């Protein structure tokens, strides 16, 4: 189905199932432990051996000699696989660092060997018997050191793209002439996804055909990348990923676990399973790269932005992509004179890659503090300052508009709901016992990409509906919204729908990432259901456009036939994809929101507590309010982590992330999260897709950390531009206590 | 060790000297034909109960309770998030107390009664905490969930038994299932999907503090 005109009325508008709060249909299997994740598939193939990954002990250099003799003779060991003996394999063009290295080493903990043994304990023990002689060379590990030398880059992290330096009007002249100016530099650290299920895979070969049970957000991408890696056609690869224990971008592309499992399985002639250990996730896999961002704002005295510049520096391995931290700034606020640019340093740290709202999240961490700082200079309320600079068109291309843009309403409704009017304009005004208390706000903004997505829907002789698509559910609720979509389209109750996901034998869906999953995958199911409805109508000689599907029946021209009767003679199938024409590119399909935070800062210790959070969002039709809300609060929680604690600490001498576990890379825990509230504005975006829905997984995290930082400033008057806002950065600047 | 090496050499010699060339193809690989450098790992018999069923196992002494459950008994409901006591995904109940299954060796559990997520309830007959998690959407990806649920069940029991916590203002007073209590006691169970506030809602409902 080609989507190239605004969606008129359609069966989804009935909203009998779609849009209603619906408990996850995968809830019972998830809460009873019956949902099998990748490493747990004892059922799928017999005789699985265990693989344990050994990572490089140096960040850059060469392996001079790797002595595996002792390890090979350790009990239970079947094979030590290294780049030297692994047989032919390549690096997919979507991986910057090689997934099995040698002799050249590109980063610390890059895989250099897989120990395959009968048991996990044996494989792990044998790993300690491998002796490696390295020739270490000095690498580049300090982003700030390349501040003045890193070249300009264009490029894209997949969401939003930018040429090297983008100019509209004359920024320098406008900034020089502006009566009120801000020029500030912000930094965001390297961050780690730390989804709770570490990367894991089981691989089995049958002749030259490869099957992997893995944990990936993108089944079809995994097939492509494995095809490139193993130099075999895509038809010979099957990828299964029905349950994914979180990803947040870390599982968009294949990682070492699946490549090593497949190499190991090829070497020992039996299935091999590999899980990356928690400490290895930090340096072996990918992360969100650090940034240093300079923002300049020039305003008139009424608080209208006339000049806005956002320049960002990030680093990556040679050939890696930049953090597109300036992407949101291009579209979020008005202003005639604009400059955005990105510089990229070459760093020999582990590969930087997508993490939840890549570019947008760290960009908004900086921009939304800058907006707070400017509002203060102007003596304006920060909500009002943002509203004053709203734009209904693309500021770089004024003839391009947004399909929907309810930023102002998000800010206004949120302010009213949150009790914003009680916020003191000046910082350090409100005390609650030993705590300074303050409020902070930020905007939230993310585009909602239109992506092709396919599905197959079958009407079974029992009258049940079976949906098959390679879409993944990484916690986002795909199973349920897909079932809701099929139920609404086919006019059956939810429990008459079965959903099968995460198998490359099914039609390829958009996958899970960049907040493109929900809206596109359900639109693909919509398209397939349209086909199935046509097949049903044809079978009954009904006019497809006149057929109404409701209560398990199809009704037209005073005939009413049950779906079970239609399929009694044999199942009927509809298969199709949603594809997008030029219309989707003629407007911005965007989502907007506002975050409000109340934070308390301990007057003596500088400890921070986030007391209350509210998010108001406009993100198209909300398909399942309860799981959409969960995505929101999950991102708000991750935003608290970004604001207060998350930082991969770089060892600048040896080039690795020091704090490589969950005790030292801190993420929010129960005690860190108190009251969270979410409001969705009514919106059905007819320009977006037939579901009239958009995404919100990335929107949800944009701005959160800045809202926390702004609340901390309002509470205690300490402005920190260097994330995370740990108490050591507050302590010696806290107000004197009378 | 020297003796092992000698033994290996002579065995290899024997293979080369006496086996027909055709037999060499039956030897799987250099790795498996060599005599182990080190003695085979110690195993130990251990018996314990899991979800009411008694198991008699002979396990590598290095095998954790977590891997005994997941890899040997194939009870994969208990999750491995970190394998070293930092995430809570592996939480199970041992003799009614919650522990991190990754932090104890299976052979330490002789005679113990272990309850895993599979033993709390089933799809047909959910435990009230499982039902409350579904109702309040107290999860997203589901990977931390079995650990959260086991922990949550144990926490309510700890509160009932008067086990004190850091969140109590008065350590001598009886704890109650306030939100602050629940959050404090659950803080060893990480949920990167950030379902915390929904988990507390589910627990409060089961505790009778809210509906
Ligand atoms: S797996 Fe046991 S605490 Fe993380
Ligand atoms: S539900 Fe995903 S980590 Fe908790």
């Amino acid at each position: 189905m080609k989507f190239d005109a605004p969606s008129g009325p359609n069966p989804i508008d009935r909203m009998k199932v779609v849009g209603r709060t619906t408990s996850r249909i995968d809830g019972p299997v998830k809460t009873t432990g019956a949902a099998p994740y990748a490493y747990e598939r004892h059922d799928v193939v017999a005789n699985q051996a265990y693989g344990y990954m050994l990572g490089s002990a140096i960040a850059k250099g060469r392996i001079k000699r790797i002595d595996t003799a002792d390890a090979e003779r350790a009990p239970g060991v079947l094979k030590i696989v290294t780049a030297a003996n692994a047989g032919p394999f390549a690096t997919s063009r979507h991986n910057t660092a090689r997934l099995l290295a040698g002799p050249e080493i590109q980063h610390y903990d890059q895989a250099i060997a897989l120990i395959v043994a009968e048991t996990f304990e044996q494989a792990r023990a044998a790993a300690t018997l491998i002796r490696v002689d390295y020739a270490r060379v000095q690498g580049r590990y300090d982003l700030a050191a390349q501040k003045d030398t890193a070249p300009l880059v264009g490029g894209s992290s997949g969401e939003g793209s930018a040429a090297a330096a983008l100019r509209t009007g004359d920024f320098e002249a406008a900034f020089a002439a502006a009566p009120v100016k801000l020029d500030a530099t912000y930094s965001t650290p390297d961050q780690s996804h730390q989804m709770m299920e570490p990367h894991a895979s089981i691989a089995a070969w049958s002749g030259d055909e490869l099957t992997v049970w893995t944990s990936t957000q993108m089944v079809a991408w995994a097939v492509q990348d494995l095809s490139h890696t193993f130099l075999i056609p895509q038809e010979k690869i099957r990828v299964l990923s029905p349950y994914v224990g979180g990803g947040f971008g870390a599982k968009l592309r294949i990682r070492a676990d699946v490549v090593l499992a497949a190499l190991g399985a090829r070497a020992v002639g039996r299935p091999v399973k590999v899980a990356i250990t928690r400490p290895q996730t930090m340096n072996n896999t990918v992360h969100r790269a650090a940034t240093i961002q300079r923002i300049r704002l020039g305003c008139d005295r009424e608080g209208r932005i006339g000049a806005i510049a956002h320049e960002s520096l990030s680093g990556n391995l040679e050939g890696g992509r930049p953090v597109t931290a300036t992407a949101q700034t291009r579209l979020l606020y008005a202003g005639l004179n604009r400059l955005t640019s990105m510089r990229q340093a070459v760093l020999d740290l582990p590969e930087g890659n997508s993490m939840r709202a890549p570019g947008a999240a760290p960009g908004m961490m900086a921009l939304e503090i800058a907006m707070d700082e400017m509002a203060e200079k102007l003596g304006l309320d920060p909500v009002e300052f943002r509203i004053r600079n709203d734009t209904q068109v693309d500021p770089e291309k004024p003839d391009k508009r947004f399909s929907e843009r309810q930023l102002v309403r998000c800010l206004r409704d949120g302010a009213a709901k949150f009790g914003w009017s009680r916020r003191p304009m000046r910082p350090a005004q409100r005390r609650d016992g030993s705590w300074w208390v303050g409020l902070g706000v930020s905007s939230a903004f993310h585009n909602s990409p239109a992506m092709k997505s396919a599905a197959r829907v079958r009407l079974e002789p029992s009258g049940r509906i079976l949906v098959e698509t390679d879409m993944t559910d990484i916690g986002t609720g795909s199973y349920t919204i897909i079932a809701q979509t099929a139920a609404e389209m086919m006019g059956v109750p939810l429990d008459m729908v079965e959903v099968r996901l995460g198998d490359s034998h099914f039609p390829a869906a958009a996958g899970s990432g960049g907040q493109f999953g929900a809206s596109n995958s359900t639109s693909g199911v919509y398209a397939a259901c349209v086909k199935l409805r046509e097949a049903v109508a044809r079978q009954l000689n009904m006019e497809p456009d006149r057929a109404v599907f409701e209560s398990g029946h199809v009704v037209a021209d005073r005939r009413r036939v049950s779906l079970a009767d239609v399929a009694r003679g044999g199942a009927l199938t509809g298969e199709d994809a949603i594809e997008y024409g030029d219309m989707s590119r003629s407007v911005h399909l965007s989502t907007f929101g506002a975050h409000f935070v109340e934070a308390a800062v301990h007057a003596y210790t500088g400890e921070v507590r986030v007391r209350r959070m509210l998010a108001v969002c406009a993100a198209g039709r909300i398909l399942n309010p309860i799981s959409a809300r969960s995505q929101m609060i999950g991102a708000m929680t991750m935003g608290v982590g970004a604001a207060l604690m998350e930082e991969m600490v770089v060892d600048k001498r040896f080039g690795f992330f020091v704090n490589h576990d969950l005790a030292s890379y801190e993420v929010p825990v129960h005690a860190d999260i108190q009251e969270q509230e979410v409001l969705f504005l009514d919106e059905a975006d007819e320009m977006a897709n037939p579901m009239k829905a958009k995404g919100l997984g990335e929107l949800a995290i944009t701005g959160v950390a800045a809202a926390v930082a702004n609340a901390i400033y309002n509470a205690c008057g300490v402005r920190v531009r260097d994330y995370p806002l740990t108490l050591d950065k507050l302590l010696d600047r806290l107000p004197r206590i009378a | 060790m020297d003796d092992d090496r000698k033994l290996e050499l002579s065995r290899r010699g024997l293979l080369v000297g006496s086996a027909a060339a055709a037999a060499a193809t039956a030897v799987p690989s250099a790795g498996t034909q060599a005599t182990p450098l080190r003695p085979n790992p110690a195993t130990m018999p251990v018996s314990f109960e899991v979800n009411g069923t008694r198991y008699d196992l002979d396990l590598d002494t290095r095998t954790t309770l977590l891997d005994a459950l997941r890899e040997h008994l194939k009870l994969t409901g208990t999750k491995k998030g970190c394998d070293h006591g930092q995430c809570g995904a592996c939480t199970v109940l041992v003799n009614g107390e919650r522990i991190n299954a990754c932090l104890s060796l299976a052979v330490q559990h002789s005679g113990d009664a272990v309850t895993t997520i599979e033993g709390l309830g089933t799809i047909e007959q959910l435990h009230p905490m499982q039902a409350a998690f579904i109702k309040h959407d107290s999860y997203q990806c589901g990977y931390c969930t079995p650990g959260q649920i086991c922990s949550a069940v144990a926490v309510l029991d700890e509160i009932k038994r008067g086990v004190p916590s850091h969140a109590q203002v008065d350590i001598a007073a009886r704890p109650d299932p306030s939100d602050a209590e629940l959050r404090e006691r659950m803080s060893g169970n990480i949920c990167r999907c950030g379902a915390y506030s929904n988990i507390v809602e589910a627990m409060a409902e089961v505790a009778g503090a809210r509906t």
Side-chain angles (χ1 to χ4, degrees):
Chain A
M1 170 183 288
K2 186 83 172 229
F3 186 79
D4 53 10
S7 177
N10 69 40
I12 298 295
D13 295 331
R14 297 185 288 189
M15 306 257 299
K16 285 186 182 147
V17 194
V18 169
R20 301 275 174 109
T21 279
T22 305
S23 289
R24 288 173 203 251
I25 62 172
D26 48 336
V29 288
K30 280 184 173 170
T31 54
T32 56
Y37 295 79
Y39 197 74
E40 302 167 354
R41 304 305 300 267
H42 295 288
D43 57 319
V44 290
V45 55
N47 205 23
Q48 298 170 16
Y50 289 80
Y52 188 88
M53 178 177 81
L54 178 68
S56 166
I58 64 164
K60 190 174 169 65
R62 296 183 70 252
I63 296 173
K64 283 198 290 191
R65 206 174 88 86
I66 179 160
D67 178 0
T68 58
D70 286 353
E72 269 159 32
R73 288 186 295 146
V77 169
L78 300 169
K79 183 83 182 175
I80 312 292
V81 180
T82 64
N85 70 4
F89 72 99
T91 299
S92 155
R93 63 192 145 93
H94 296 114
N95 289 105
T96 306
R98 284 190 307 285
L99 298 176
L100 174 61
E104 194 211 338
I105 299 295
Q106 294 166 293
H107 65 83
Y108 181 82
D109 223 4
Q110 189 172 21
I112 58 168
L114 181 78
I115 300 88
V116 186
E118 294 289 348
T119 72
F120 172 69
E121 293 80 10
Q122 291 168 335
R124 183 182 57 188
T128 65
L129 301 176
I130 297 177
R131 280 183 294 273
V132 191
D133 241 346
Y134 296 100
R136 189 161 69 90
V137 303
Q138 188 54 45
R140 295 148 291 185
Y141 310 123
D142 187 357
L143 178 65
Q146 295 183 54
K147 211 169 167 211
D148 302 321
T149 52
L152 286 167
V153 287
S156 159
S157 75
E159 281 89 42
S161 63
L166 292 159
R167 293 177 167 279
T168 304
D170 183 345
F171 168 77
E172 280 78 4
F175 184 70
V180 188
K181 292 192 206 15
L182 173 82
D183 182 349
T185 298
Y186 305 86
S187 67
T188 64
D190 297 284
Q191 294 176 344
S192 180
H193 311 79
Q194 291 307 305
M195 64 284 155
M196 288 314 299
E197 181 205 20
H199 307 263
S201 297
I202 301 173
W205 291 87
S206 155
D208 63 347
E209 297 190 358
L210 173 65
T211 303
V212 299
W213 295 265
T214 189
S215 186
T216 182
Q217 299 172 225
M218 304 291 296
V219 168
W221 287 5
V223 171
Q224 286 167 19
D225 289 346
L226 287 170
S227 162
H228 294 154
T229 305
F230 289 97
L231 317 161
I232 52 175
Q234 294 188 23
E235 307 77 70
K236 293 191 182 283
I237 296 168
R238 185 172 184 191
V239 172
L240 297 107
S241 187
Y243 294 98
V244 181
F248 311 114
K251 297 173 181 170
L252 282 170
R253 293 290 176 185
I254 59 168
R255 306 255 67 95
D257 57 309
V258 66
V259 170
L260 292 176
L263 289 172
R266 193 165 71 180
V268 299
R270 61 189 262 204
V272 169
K273 64 178 190 175
V274 177
I276 290 178
T277 67
R278 178 60 60 186
Q280 289 171 337
T281 61
M282 292 284 182
N283 284 288
N284 173 266
T285 71
V286 291
H287 65 282
R288 188 202 295 286
T291 65
I292 298 172
Q293 304 175 45
R294 181 186 185 195
I295 294 179
R296 283 173 287 172
L297 298 173
C299 287
D300 64 19
R301 298 211 184 276
E302 284 68 53
R304 261 173 283 273
I305 299 172
I308 181 167
H310 190 167
E311 296 158 285
S312 172
L313 167 72
S314 62
N316 211 335
L317 291 167
E318 196 88 56
R321 293 167 305 174
V323 175
T324 53
T326 56
Q328 310 313 91
T329 306
R330 297 176 57 195
L331 291 169
L332 187 50
Y333 298 117
L336 287 176
N337 302 285
R338 319 176 69 87
L339 164 65
T340 52
S341 74
M342 295 187 292
R343 288 179 187 277
Q344 187 173 1
V346 174
L347 292 178
D348 299 297
L349 290 169
E351 179 177 336
N353 210 311
S354 299
M355 178 169 151
R356 197 173 205 166
M364 294 280 278
M365 285 166 80
L367 177 66
E368 289 298 294
I369 294 185
M371 290 297 286
D372 203 63
E373 296 199 57
M374 186 45 129
E376 187 182 32
K377 279 179 187 267
L378 291 160
L380 265 181
D381 179 281
V383 169
E384 178 54 31
F385 176 50
R386 285 174 172 82
I387 290 171
R388 222 165 263 193
N389 288 288
D390 184 44
T391 172
Q392 290 295 314
V393 297
D394 181 335
E396 291 173 9
K397 302 181 207 81
D399 50 353
K400 186 166 180 178
R401 60 181 193 91
F402 298 86
S403 61
E404 298 276 351
R405 183 170 165 127
Q406 301 203 65
L407 172 62
V408 169
R409 224 187 111 196
C410 291
L411 287 161
R412 288 228 160 95
D413 287 11
K417 174 95 187 160
F418 201 64
W420 183 256
S421 59
R422 292 196 300 275
R423 171 186 176 270
M425 276 293 276
R426 286 187 306 116
Q429 301 296 306
R430 206 175 126 203
R431 277 283 288 278
D432 175 5
S434 305
W435 298 85
W436 295 105
V437 181
L439 303 185
V441 67
S442 77
S443 300
F445 162 55
H446 203 278
N447 274 1
S448 190
M451 271 174 69
K452 183 181 173 184
S453 193
R456 181 162 59 225
V457 186
R458 198 159 71 215
L459 170 60
E460 309 273 9
S462 60
R464 292 179 63 80
I465 304 290
L466 174 66
V467 188
E468 293 175 325
T469 163
D470 86 353
M471 182 62 190
T472 50
D473 189 330
I474 61 171
T476 40
S478 313
Y479 276 105
T480 310
I481 56 173
I482 283 172
Q484 288 173 277
T485 303
E488 193 79 79
M489 287 299 287
M490 301 313 299
V492 299
L494 194 70
D495 60 8
M496 289 293 281
V497 181
E498 184 188 338
V499 180
R500 295 192 193 148
L501 300 183
D503 182 340
S504 61
H505 280 183
F506 301 154
S512 302
Q515 80 172 22
F516 52 67
S519 58
N520 293 297
S521 68
T522 53
S523 294
V525 172
Y526 173 98
C529 286
V530 168
K531 279 273 157 67
L532 179 58
R533 287 164 60 112
E534 285 167 7
V536 168
R538 258 200 318 275
Q539 176 124 335
L540 298 172
N541 293 316
M542 287 176 174
E543 194 55 49
D545 291 342
R546 300 251 287 275
V548 175
F549 289 73
E550 59 184 20
S551 313
H553 289 73
V554 52
V555 185
D557 305 327
R558 273 178 281 136
R559 274 170 72 206
R560 188 167 191 273
V561 185
S562 88
L563 289 180
D565 283 342
V566 178
R568 204 165 305 280
L572 296 179
T573 301
E575 181 172 339
D576 201 4
I578 190 80
E579 289 176 87
Y580 298 92
D582 289 340
M583 186 186 68
S584 313
R585 283 178 286 276
S586 69
V587 291
H588 288 291
L589 300 172
S590 307
T591 58
F592 293 90
H595 288 288
F596 293 84
V597 169
E598 178 178 312
V601 180
H602 197 277
Y604 303 97
T605 66
E607 273 177 282
V608 176
R609 290 277 178 271
V610 172
R611 292 184 166 186
R612 282 194 302 138
M613 306 180 83
L614 166 69
V616 184
C617 302
R621 181 175 276 161
I622 301 302
L623 304 174
N624 184 3
I626 192 170
S627 57
R629 181 180 178 280
S630 288
Q631 273 206 67
M632 293 297 306
I633 64 169
M636 288 151 75
T637 301
M638 203 176 265
V640 169
L644 299 182
M645 58 193 89
E646 291 185 38
E647 175 179 22
M648 303 173 93
V649 179
V650 181
D651 183 317
K652 291 180 187 139
R653 301 158 307 164
F654 295 106
F656 66 101
F657 298 121
V658 182
N659 48 342
H660 52 276
D661 61 28
L662 284 166
S664 50
Y665 183 89
E666 293 184 358
V667 300
V669 299
H670 277 273
D672 295 313
I673 300 302
Q674 301 185 28
E675 203 182 305
Q676 292 179 323
E677 214 177 326
V678 180
L679 289 178
F680 295 112
L681 298 189
D682 265 339
E683 192 177 284
D685 194 332
E686 302 193 336
M687 301 284 274
N689 47 57
M691 302 300 293
K692 305 174 187 175
K694 290 179 286 197
L696 49 76
E698 329 295 307
L699 171 75
I701 199 172
T702 60
V704 177
V708 174
N710 295 339
I712 289 171
Y713 177 74
N714 185 245
C716 69
V718 182
R719 181 64 77 186
V720 180
R721 300 186 183 89
D722 180 24
Y723 288 97
L725 282 70
T726 45
L727 57 82
D728 52 297
K729 295 173 190 169
L730 304 172
L731 205 49
D732 58 357
R733 292 156 68 196
L734 287 174
R736 290 213 162 278
I737 316 265
Chain B
M1 200 179 279
D2 272 345
D3 279 355
D4 281 355
R5 286 227 169 117
K6 258 182 238 149
L7 194 67
E8 184 216 345
L9 279 177
S10 61
R11 186 167 164 260
R12 237 183 216 163
L14 193 73
L15 268 175
V16 172
S18 67
T25 57
V27 176
S29 76
T32 47
Q33 79 182 46
T35 307
L37 173 72
R38 302 198 164 187
N40 271 313
T43 64
M44 243 177 93
V46 61
S47 303
F48 47 70
E49 235 177 57
V50 181
N51 303 329
T53 304
R54 185 192 154 105
Y55 293 92
D56 301 302
L57 301 165
D58 192 34
L59 292 175
D60 189 321
T61 50
R62 298 167 298 187
T63 302
T64 60
L65 176 59
L66 177 59
D67 282 333
L69 294 169
R70 282 169 61 84
E71 305 302 325
H72 295 264
L73 304 183
K74 304 192 176 17
L75 290 169
T76 53
T78 308
K79 303 304 180 194
K80 185 185 279 191
C82 69
D83 214 12
H84 56 197
Q86 294 176 350
C87 76
C90 63
T91 306
V92 297
L93 309 178
V94 174
N95 306 326
E97 302 262 2
R98 55 180 172 151
I99 67 161
N100 289 338
C102 69
L103 280 189
S104 69
L105 298 170
V107 295
Q108 292 172 270
H109 290 283
S110 176
D112 282 348
V114 180
T115 305
T116 69
I117 189 72
E118 292 95 342
L120 281 183
T122 60
I123 292 174
E124 295 73 34
Q125 220 170 350
L126 295 169
H127 183 282
M129 192 64 80
Q130 292 168 324
F133 265 58
I134 295 173
K135 176 175 165 192
H136 293 279
D137 210 46
S138 310
Y139 52 79
Q140 285 199 62
C141 75
Y143 199 78
C144 75
T145 310
Q148 301 278 0
I149 291 173
C150 286
S151 224
V153 168
V155 160
L156 296 192
D157 183 56
E158 284 160 24
I159 292 174
K160 213 178 267 164
R161 287 188 284 129
V163 178
S165 92
H166 165 77
Q168 274 167 258
V169 182
D170 176 3
I171 200 85
R174 279 201 78 74
D176 60 12
S178 66
D179 288 1
E181 270 296 338
L182 301 180
R183 288 186 188 116
E184 170 62 25
R185 289 170 193 260
M186 289 297 289
S187 282
N189 287 84
I190 294 175
C191 177
R192 187 57 160 162
C193 296
Y196 297 129
S197 62
N198 287 350
I199 293 171
V200 167
E201 290 302 316
M203 291 177 70
E205 176 177 321
V206 175
R210 276 201 288 283
T211 50

